Amino acid sequence: MDNTRKRELARTYKEQKVRPGIFAIRCAVSGETWVGQAPDVDKRQNGLWFQLRMGGFPGKSLQQAWNTHGEAAFAFDVLEEIRDDNEKMIPLRLKEREAHWRQELSAAALV
């Protein structure tokens, strides 16, 4: 890969916008659902799947379900993207909306 292409890829990566939001992890076999929040939902699944594959996820119920049913039984769904003109309000809105979705879906918290 030439240097021009490398610079172009680096620029594109840096220009990506983060999407704060609420997500659900669903197990198709057991029907269980876990809800969480992330400052960038597009990157969160990769980190979660890595932790689960390594057996080091701190949420015991999700890790046990993963170990029992395997990766193929799980889906990661973005439930809601959080936007606010005042970026300092986003963490508060994430907490509020996570609580809403957990109640709405009768879901467990991730940890």
Side-chain angles (χ1 to χ4, degrees), residues 62-96:
L62 176 54
Q63 186 68 63
Q64 287 175 337
W66 180 278
N67 294 344
T68 301
H69 304 296
E71 182 176 348
F74 289 84
F76 182 95
D77 302 313
V78 176
L79 300 173
E80 181 177 2
E81 187 176 334
I82 304 298
R83 296 176 191 251
D84 199 303
D85 291 335
N86 182 353
E87 287 188 23
K88 294 183 180 191
M89 292 300 295
I90 290 176
L92 177 63
R93 298 230 18 243
L94 284 168
K95 288 180 186 177
E96 291 171 349

Side-chain angles (χ1 to χ4, degrees), residues 9-65:
L9 290 172
R11 189 186 84 250
T12 301
Y13 178 78
K14 289 177 183 177
E15 290 174 355
Q16 289 178 337
K17 295 187 179 189
V18 298
R19 285 192 324 149
I22 309 303
F23 62 88
I25 298 174
R26 302 174 199 264
C27 178
V29 176
S30 69
E32 294 172 283
T33 302
W34 296 265
V35 170
Q37 58 166 291
D40 190 348
V41 292
D42 294 323
K43 294 180 182 173
R44 187 63 178 129
Q45 180 182 2
N46 190 36
L48 282 169
W49 263 223
F50 177 79
Q51 286 182 302
L52 289 163
R53 284 183 197 123
M54 299 306 290
F57 187 73
K60 293 190 187 304
S61 67
L62 176 54
Q63 186 68 63
Q64 287 175 337

